[in-house]
């Protein structure tokens, strides 16, 4: 007995069988289509979430970098006027101390300390910045040792002032290079964000 004869002899069973097969086939197709729609929707939501996080971290990092760049510029300016002889080494120390205190408090209180999240999205080469930081720290230690002490002769004070001027120039150059590194980071972030807008 073939299928057409079976359906003719048993119409109720045949209709029920066709309905069950059609229903199962429809349910399977509908679930497959829904699966692909849900997967596409999930991927789109994930990309949107990723994009929002990237933009948010870029914003926070940009604000921090700009604030830090202002700090570096102020320090650089102090060393430039010291190099020109417009201020003496003690005034340089006092001015830098004021700026360091002001900016260190400002950067500590910076509302977006999550700016480090930018490193999730970008692979900045921090090696040179770390080298500059280490050298800057070493120079600052040397400058403390070079401060004239009571009882130093004029000859010793003059030689210390010459060394202070050399170290001040090195610090100014370090701050300038650090400034350029942060500027490069900002440029990279902005360029990348332009692709999203």
């Amino acid at each position: 007995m073939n299928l057409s004869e079976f359906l003719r002899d048993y119409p109720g069973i045949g209709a029920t069988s066709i309905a069950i097969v059609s229903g199962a086939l429809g349910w399977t197709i509908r679930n497959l289509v829904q699966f692909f729609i849900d997967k596409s929707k999930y991927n789109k939501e994930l990309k949107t979430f990723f994009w929002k996080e990237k933009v948010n971290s870029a914003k926070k990092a940009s604000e921090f970098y700009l604030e830090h760049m202002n700090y570096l510029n102020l320090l650089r300016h102090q060393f430039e006027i010291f190099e020109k002889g417009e201020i003496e080494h003690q005034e340089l120390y006092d001015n830098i101390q004021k700026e360091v205190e002001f900016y260190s408090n400002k950067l500590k209180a910076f509302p977006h300390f999550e700016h480090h999240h930018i490193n999730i999205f970008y692979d900045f080469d921090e090696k040179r910045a770390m080298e500059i930081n280490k050298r800057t720290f070493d120079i600052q230690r040397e400058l403390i040792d070079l401060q004239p002490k009571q009882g130093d002769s004029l000859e010793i004070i003059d030689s210390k002032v010459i060394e202070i001027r050399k170290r001040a120039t090195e610090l100014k150059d370090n701050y300038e290079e650090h400034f350029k590194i942060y500027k490069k980071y900002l440029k990279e972030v902005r360029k990348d964000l332009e692709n999203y807008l």
Side-chain angles (χ1 to χ4, degrees), residues 148-180:
K149 295 174 180 57
Q150 197 170 18
D152 283 351
S153 68
L154 285 176
E155 189 177 292
I156 291 174
I157 291 174
D158 287 343
S159 70
K160 284 184 174 184
V161 168
I162 290 169
E163 287 301 313
I164 288 171
R165 289 193 184 283
K166 287 179 186 175
R167 299 303 181 280
T169 300
E170 285 181 58
L171 276 177
K172 181 189 68 118
D173 294 342
N174 279 359
Y175 291 136
E176 188 171 344
E177 188 174 355
H178 217 154
F179 179 88
K180 288 176 182 175

Tab-separated table of all heavy atoms in Angstrom, residues 148-180:
chain	number	residue	atom	x	y	z
A	148	PRO	N	72.029	73.828	47.639
A	148	PRO	CA	73.123	74.382	48.455
A	148	PRO	C	72.836	74.235	49.946
A	148	PRO	O	71.708	74.400	50.389
A	148	PRO	CB	73.157	75.858	48.052
A	148	PRO	CG	72.534	75.887	46.686
A	148	PRO	CD	71.494	74.802	46.702
A	149	LYS	N	73.883	73.878	50.669
A	149	LYS	CA	73.756	73.682	52.112
A	149	LYS	C	74.498	74.807	52.836
A	149	LYS	O	75.402	75.424	52.286
A	149	LYS	CB	74.337	72.316	52.496
A	149	LYS	CG	73.555	71.162	51.907
A	149	LYS	CD	74.251	69.845	52.189
A	149	LYS	CE	73.528	68.658	51.644
A	149	LYS	NZ	73.270	68.642	50.252
A	150	GLN	N	74.075	75.028	54.045
A	150	GLN	CA	74.749	76.043	54.844
A	150	GLN	C	76.201	75.618	55.042
A	150	GLN	O	76.500	74.461	55.330
A	150	GLN	CB	74.042	76.159	56.188
A	150	GLN	CG	74.374	77.421	56.916
A	150	GLN	CD	73.469	77.598	58.126
A	150	GLN	OE1	72.846	76.666	58.587
A	150	GLN	NE2	73.424	78.811	58.631
A	151	GLY	N	77.092	76.520	54.826
A	151	GLY	CA	78.503	76.218	54.969
A	151	GLY	C	79.188	75.924	53.635
A	151	GLY	O	80.400	75.794	53.581
A	152	ASP	N	78.392	75.785	52.538
A	152	ASP	CA	79.007	75.586	51.217
A	152	ASP	C	79.721	76.866	50.803
A	152	ASP	O	79.218	77.979	51.002
A	152	ASP	CB	77.947	75.245	50.159
A	152	ASP	CG	77.468	73.807	50.224
A	152	ASP	OD1	78.077	73.011	50.967
A	152	ASP	OD2	76.477	73.482	49.543
A	153	SER	N	80.894	76.706	50.206
A	153	SER	CA	81.621	77.875	49.704
A	153	SER	C	80.947	78.381	48.433
A	153	SER	O	80.145	77.677	47.809
A	153	SER	CB	83.075	77.495	49.419
A	153	SER	OG	83.121	76.601	48.309
A	154	LEU	N	81.272	79.598	48.034
A	154	LEU	CA	80.699	80.177	46.802
A	154	LEU	C	81.056	79.338	45.591
A	154	LEU	O	80.243	79.178	44.678
A	154	LEU	CB	81.189	81.619	46.606
A	154	LEU	CG	80.555	82.666	47.513
A	154	LEU	CD1	81.175	84.026	47.292
A	154	LEU	CD2	79.060	82.731	47.284
A	155	GLU	N	82.248	78.773	45.599
A	155	GLU	CA	82.680	77.923	44.483
A	155	GLU	C	81.803	76.667	44.381
A	155	GLU	O	81.372	76.278	43.298
A	155	GLU	CB	84.155	77.542	44.695
A	155	GLU	CG	84.778	76.839	43.517
A	155	GLU	CD	86.252	76.565	43.776
A	155	GLU	OE1	87.026	77.534	43.828
A	155	GLU	OE2	86.595	75.376	43.912
A	156	ILE	N	81.533	76.048	45.529
A	156	ILE	CA	80.685	74.851	45.558
A	156	ILE	C	79.260	75.213	45.149
A	156	ILE	O	78.628	74.497	44.367
A	156	ILE	CB	80.717	74.184	46.963
A	156	ILE	CG1	82.103	73.578	47.209
A	156	ILE	CG2	79.636	73.128	47.088
A	156	ILE	CD1	82.300	73.019	48.602
A	157	ILE	N	78.774	76.336	45.658
A	157	ILE	CA	77.411	76.768	45.303
A	157	ILE	C	77.317	77.024	43.806
A	157	ILE	O	76.353	76.606	43.151
A	157	ILE	CB	76.998	78.021	46.115
A	157	ILE	CG1	76.822	77.633	47.585
A	157	ILE	CG2	75.726	78.645	45.561
A	157	ILE	CD1	76.563	78.805	48.511
A	158	ASP	N	78.324	77.701	43.232
A	158	ASP	CA	78.316	77.964	41.788
A	158	ASP	C	78.326	76.670	40.986
A	158	ASP	O	77.619	76.539	39.986
A	158	ASP	CB	79.522	78.833	41.393
A	158	ASP	CG	79.372	80.279	41.831
A	158	ASP	OD1	78.220	80.681	42.140
A	158	ASP	OD2	80.387	81.000	41.874
A	159	SER	N	79.151	75.692	41.411
A	159	SER	CA	79.180	74.416	40.681
A	159	SER	C	77.853	73.678	40.836
A	159	SER	O	77.374	73.029	39.896
A	159	SER	CB	80.343	73.547	41.142
A	159	SER	OG	80.135	73.076	42.455
A	160	LYS	N	77.202	73.759	42.001
A	160	LYS	CA	75.894	73.127	42.198
A	160	LYS	C	74.832	73.797	41.321
A	160	LYS	O	73.982	73.113	40.743
A	160	LYS	CB	75.475	73.193	43.673
A	160	LYS	CG	76.199	72.197	44.553
A	160	LYS	CD	75.677	72.235	45.985
A	160	LYS	CE	76.319	71.137	46.816
A	160	LYS	NZ	75.762	71.099	48.179
A	161	VAL	N	74.899	75.115	41.216
A	161	VAL	CA	73.932	75.837	40.386
A	161	VAL	C	74.080	75.424	38.920
A	161	VAL	O	73.081	75.237	38.211
A	161	VAL	CB	74.077	77.370	40.564
A	161	VAL	CG1	73.287	78.131	39.512
A	161	VAL	CG2	73.641	77.786	41.964
A	162	ILE	N	75.312	75.257	38.472
A	162	ILE	CA	75.549	74.802	37.091
A	162	ILE	C	74.938	73.416	36.896
A	162	ILE	O	74.258	73.159	35.888
A	162	ILE	CB	77.068	74.796	36.765
A	162	ILE	CG1	77.591	76.237	36.682
A	162	ILE	CG2	77.329	74.044	35.458
A	162	ILE	CD1	79.107	76.350	36.623
A	163	GLU	N	75.151	72.520	37.860
A	163	GLU	CA	74.565	71.170	37.769
A	163	GLU	C	73.039	71.218	37.846
A	163	GLU	O	72.351	70.466	37.152
A	163	GLU	CB	75.125	70.271	38.884
A	163	GLU	CG	76.553	69.845	38.666
A	163	GLU	CD	76.746	69.077	37.362
A	163	GLU	OE1	75.965	68.153	37.073
A	163	GLU	OE2	77.684	69.421	36.617
A	164	ILE	N	72.520	72.104	38.690
A	164	ILE	CA	71.060	72.257	38.793
A	164	ILE	C	70.491	72.692	37.451
A	164	ILE	O	69.459	72.182	37.000
A	164	ILE	CB	70.690	73.261	39.915
A	164	ILE	CG1	70.962	72.632	41.282
A	164	ILE	CG2	69.234	73.714	39.797
A	164	ILE	CD1	70.845	73.612	42.452
A	165	ARG	N	71.166	73.623	36.782
A	165	ARG	CA	70.702	74.092	35.465
A	165	ARG	C	70.703	72.945	34.443
A	165	ARG	O	69.778	72.814	33.649
A	165	ARG	CB	71.551	75.252	34.967
A	165	ARG	CG	71.326	76.520	35.740
A	165	ARG	CD	71.924	77.732	35.031
A	165	ARG	NE	71.777	78.927	35.812
A	165	ARG	CZ	70.653	79.626	35.934
A	165	ARG	NH1	69.583	79.225	35.310
A	165	ARG	NH2	70.607	80.716	36.675
A	166	LYS	N	71.740	72.103	34.485
A	166	LYS	CA	71.803	70.956	33.570
A	166	LYS	C	70.638	69.998	33.832
A	166	LYS	O	69.980	69.531	32.905
A	166	LYS	CB	73.128	70.202	33.729
A	166	LYS	CG	74.337	70.913	33.170
A	166	LYS	CD	75.586	70.091	33.413
A	166	LYS	CE	76.846	70.818	33.004
A	166	LYS	NZ	78.067	70.059	33.351
A	167	ARG	N	70.421	69.706	35.114
A	167	ARG	CA	69.327	68.783	35.458
A	167	ARG	C	67.967	69.393	35.118
A	167	ARG	O	67.065	68.687	34.683
A	167	ARG	CB	69.357	68.417	36.956
A	167	ARG	CG	70.585	67.715	37.450
A	167	ARG	CD	70.875	66.413	36.698
A	167	ARG	NE	72.046	65.736	37.194
A	167	ARG	CZ	73.307	66.058	36.889
A	167	ARG	NH1	73.557	67.075	36.114
A	167	ARG	NH2	74.318	65.368	37.372
A	168	ALA	N	67.860	70.698	35.298
A	168	ALA	CA	66.598	71.376	34.969
A	168	ALA	C	66.303	71.254	33.477
A	168	ALA	O	65.158	71.006	33.074
A	168	ALA	CB	66.658	72.842	35.393
A	169	THR	N	67.337	71.382	32.659
A	169	THR	CA	67.158	71.220	31.214
A	169	THR	C	66.742	69.796	30.880
A	169	THR	O	65.853	69.571	30.052
A	169	THR	CB	68.458	71.594	30.465
A	169	THR	OG1	68.774	72.960	30.759
A	169	THR	CG2	68.301	71.414	28.970
A	170	GLU	N	67.371	68.831	31.549
A	170	GLU	CA	66.987	67.429	31.327
A	170	GLU	C	65.531	67.191	31.715
A	170	GLU	O	64.790	66.516	30.990
A	170	GLU	CB	67.885	66.489	32.143
A	170	GLU	CG	69.279	66.316	31.599
A	170	GLU	CD	70.077	65.345	32.462
A	170	GLU	OE1	69.640	64.184	32.620
A	170	GLU	OE2	71.120	65.754	32.998
A	171	LEU	N	65.125	67.748	32.852
A	171	LEU	CA	63.734	67.586	33.286
A	171	LEU	C	62.775	68.220	32.290
A	171	LEU	O	61.751	67.639	31.948
A	171	LEU	CB	63.526	68.209	34.671
A	171	LEU	CG	63.893	67.348	35.858
A	171	LEU	CD1	63.702	68.115	37.156
A	171	LEU	CD2	63.089	66.068	35.897
A	172	LYS	N	63.112	69.408	31.834
A	172	LYS	CA	62.257	70.090	30.856
A	172	LYS	C	62.100	69.226	29.614
A	172	LYS	O	60.995	69.026	29.108
A	172	LYS	CB	62.853	71.451	30.482
A	172	LYS	CG	61.991	72.226	29.491
A	172	LYS	CD	62.702	73.457	28.973
A	172	LYS	CE	63.849	73.061	28.133
A	172	LYS	NZ	63.962	73.380	26.782
A	173	ASP	N	63.212	68.652	29.149
A	173	ASP	CA	63.158	67.783	27.972
A	173	ASP	C	62.340	66.516	28.234
A	173	ASP	O	61.589	66.060	27.374
A	173	ASP	CB	64.577	67.413	27.517
A	173	ASP	CG	65.367	68.622	27.014
A	173	ASP	OD1	64.742	69.655	26.701
A	173	ASP	OD2	66.613	68.513	26.951
A	174	ASN	N	62.487	65.956	29.440
A	174	ASN	CA	61.689	64.777	29.809
A	174	ASN	C	60.201	65.105	29.791
A	174	ASN	O	59.393	64.333	29.260
A	174	ASN	CB	62.070	64.270	31.196
A	174	ASN	CG	63.313	63.417	31.190
A	174	ASN	OD1	63.912	63.177	30.153
A	174	ASN	ND2	63.714	62.962	32.357
A	175	TYR	N	59.846	66.241	30.391
A	175	TYR	CA	58.435	66.623	30.435
A	175	TYR	C	57.895	66.889	29.028
A	175	TYR	O	56.768	66.554	28.711
A	175	TYR	CB	58.230	67.845	31.326
A	175	TYR	CG	58.469	67.552	32.789
A	175	TYR	CD1	59.201	68.419	33.581
A	175	TYR	CD2	57.968	66.400	33.383
A	175	TYR	CE1	59.424	68.149	34.920
A	175	TYR	CE2	58.185	66.122	34.718
A	175	TYR	CZ	58.915	67.002	35.488
A	175	TYR	OH	59.127	66.734	36.806
A	176	GLU	N	58.737	67.456	28.190
A	176	GLU	CA	58.316	67.704	26.809
A	176	GLU	C	58.079	66.397	26.063
A	176	GLU	O	57.089	66.240	25.344
A	176	GLU	CB	59.380	68.540	26.089
A	176	GLU	CG	58.948	68.997	24.720
A	176	GLU	CD	59.926	69.992	24.117
A	176	GLU	OE1	60.762	70.567	24.839
A	176	GLU	OE2	59.839	70.186	22.894
A	177	GLU	N	58.979	65.443	26.250
A	177	GLU	CA	58.803	64.145	25.584
A	177	GLU	C	57.576	63.410	26.130
A	177	GLU	O	56.818	62.808	25.379
A	177	GLU	CB	60.057	63.280	25.747
A	177	GLU	CG	59.990	62.020	24.910
A	177	GLU	CD	61.273	61.202	24.941
A	177	GLU	OE1	62.280	61.641	25.535
A	177	GLU	OE2	61.251	60.094	24.367
A	178	HIS	N	57.388	63.491	27.440
A	178	HIS	CA	56.206	62.873	28.048
A	178	HIS	C	54.927	63.509	27.492
A	178	HIS	O	53.945	62.823	27.205
A	178	HIS	CB	56.268	63.039	29.558
A	178	HIS	CG	55.748	61.860	30.294
A	178	HIS	ND1	56.140	61.555	31.545
A	178	HIS	CD2	54.866	60.896	29.960
A	178	HIS	CE1	55.533	60.463	31.962
A	178	HIS	NE2	54.755	60.050	31.010
A	179	PHE	N	54.955	64.814	27.349
A	179	PHE	CA	53.823	65.544	26.772
A	179	PHE	C	53.509	65.008	25.370
A	179	PHE	O	52.359	64.751	25.025
A	179	PHE	CB	54.160	67.036	26.715
A	179	PHE	CG	53.086	67.882	26.112
A	179	PHE	CD1	52.070	68.407	26.897
A	179	PHE	CD2	53.080	68.179	24.746
A	179	PHE	CE1	51.079	69.188	26.345
A	179	PHE	CE2	52.100	68.953	24.185
A	179	PHE	CZ	51.087	69.466	24.990
A	180	LYS	N	54.550	64.824	24.573
A	180	LYS	CA	54.361	64.322	23.206
A	180	LYS	C	53.782	62.905	23.196
A	180	LYS	O	52.984	62.559	22.325
A	180	LYS	CB	55.685	64.363	22.440
A	180	LYS	CG	56.114	65.763	22.081
A	180	LYS	CD	57.467	65.779	21.403
A	180	LYS	CE	57.911	67.189	21.099
A	180	LYS	NZ	59.259	67.248	20.543
